[in-house]
Amino acid sequence: MKRFIIIITFTVALCCANAQERLFSDTPCEYITTDIQGNVFLARGSNLDMLPADGAKPLNYSEPTYGNIAQVDAGIASKILVFYRESGTIILLNNELSPIGNPLNLFNKSLMTVSLAAMGNPNKIVLYDAANQDLLITDLNLNSINRTHITFPGDFHPTDMQVIPEHRIALLDTLRGICLFDFFGTFEKKIPIPGVKAMQLMKDQIIYLKDNKLYQYIIPTASSSMSIEEIDIQLPIIKRFHFFHNLFYYIDDRNIPYKIDL
């Protein structure tokens, strides 16, 4: 944990020294993530750009007929999930941003109110049905494998869902906090922290953004207790972030993406 805090402090020192690097010159984006190989994915409107980790020429995918991209999950590098909420469409792309198979239409499966989507493993998709408050696990043809109805008191309105394949699912409700489920959709625990703006789910921890500060939440196990550490640093105003090894990516309040070498 100490090492992590030192790394973040060094990141801020770089920020203060104006060592930020734009990923694109004033090109805005709304979504940023990476795959396990370090390739960076930036989404804006109907466009998805991939910046290869080896410095090769960026790749682009765009299909405006489906609307704007709501979510990108690159957790499975060979099957990048692109979710278009407006049209109820999911596209799976390979690592060259070429479509794999046909588009998946949620509406054709009577899934009319899915608000979040992610890959569960190379053969499963995880969905959140907002109207019914159901967490769904399907196969790659959107056939249901498991459905978990969420019965928390009051309304539950998650704005983000992240999955560690074959391990854990996290749903973020900015008012109520973060809820964790195992890979089969079984509820594990609720982390009642209101006001979380963005998060990154990792295997044994969650990094989250609240009041423009980063926090590290250690997920408790049978042999360890819960721990929350505030990373006491000054940040620019950010909307989204993503850590990958020794790199910190974020989108500022103007939707401009930055990369910091830690």
Side-chain angles (χ1 to χ4, degrees):
M1 187 178 299
K2 289 182 179 179
R3 181 176 180 272
F4 182 86
I5 294 173
I6 290 171
I7 288 175
I8 298 299
T9 304
F10 182 55
T11 300
V12 176
L14 289 176
C15 290
C16 295
N18 296 317
Q20 296 165 334
E21 295 182 19
R22 275 194 176 92
L23 295 180
F24 284 127
S25 178
D26 297 323
T27 300
C29 66
E30 292 93 32
Y31 206 94
I32 187 167
T33 191
T34 69
D35 63 17
I36 60 173
Q37 298 168 344
N39 300 312
V40 181
F41 298 84
L42 301 173
R44 63 186 188 283
S46 61
N47 287 287
L48 176 65
D49 294 308
M50 185 182 88
L51 283 68
D54 61 6
K57 182 180 178 180
L59 302 177
N60 174 265
Y61 175 80
S62 180
E63 187 50 77
T65 57
Y66 298 131
N68 292 333
I69 296 171
Q71 197 169 1
V72 178
D73 181 9
I76 307 294
S78 60
K79 290 180 181 174
I80 300 149
L81 181 146
V82 183
F83 175 45
Y84 302 83
R85 187 181 299 120
E86 301 165 76
S87 61
T89 302
I90 291 174
I91 302 290
L92 299 180
L93 305 175
N94 64 19
N95 54 13
E96 295 182 349
L97 297 194
S98 295
I100 301 170
N102 296 319
L104 303 175
N105 190 294
L106 294 161
F107 299 162
N108 289 344
K109 293 287 187 176
S110 299
L111 298 170
M112 312 302 292
T113 55
V114 170
S115 59
L116 300 166
M119 293 298 294
N121 68 18
N123 300 304
K124 293 180 182 178
I125 295 173
V126 184
L127 307 170
Y128 180 73
D129 185 335
N132 297 302
Q133 292 193 183
D134 287 340
L135 182 66
L136 306 172
I137 298 176
T138 76
D139 63 17
L140 296 186
N141 292 313
L142 300 180
N143 298 312
S144 180
I145 295 173
N146 186 70
R147 178 185 295 262
T148 301
H149 182 60
I150 297 174
T151 57
F152 301 141
D155 291 333
F156 182 61
H157 298 292
T159 57
D160 190 16
M161 177 174 68
Q162 296 181 21
V163 178
I164 300 296
E166 300 281 7
H167 184 61
R168 181 174 277 122
I169 301 165
L171 288 170
L172 167 62
D173 182 323
T174 56
L175 180 62
R176 295 178 173 271
I178 300 169
C179 292
L180 299 179
F181 302 80
D182 69 15
F183 173 70
F184 302 101
T186 304
F187 175 73
E188 287 189 337
K189 74 181 285 83
K190 186 176 180 181
I191 308 170
I193 305 173
V196 174
K197 188 175 180 180
M199 69 172 179
Q200 182 175 351
L201 175 65
M202 302 177 183
K203 263 202 167 180
D204 59 357
Q205 62 184 290
I206 300 171
I207 309 300
Y208 65 89
L209 178 70
K210 178 179 178 179
D211 298 327
N212 213 55
K213 293 182 179 180
L214 287 173
Y215 296 82
Q216 180 188 39
Y217 174 89
I218 304 298
I219 299 172
T221 65
S223 60
S224 66
S225 59
M226 178 271 291
S227 172
I228 297 178
E229 293 285 343
E230 177 181 343
I231 304 169
D232 188 16
I233 59 175
Q234 294 295 317
L235 290 171
I237 298 175
I238 64 176
K239 298 172 69 174
R240 286 186 178 272
F241 69 91
H242 189 85
F243 285 97
F244 178 77
H245 296 326
N246 63 333
L247 298 172
F248 176 55
Y249 299 95
Y250 69 87
I251 300 173
D252 71 6
D253 58 338
R254 301 168 300 156
N255 289 338
I256 303 298
Y258 289 89
K259 176 182 73 176
I260 302 295
D261 292 310
L262 304 181

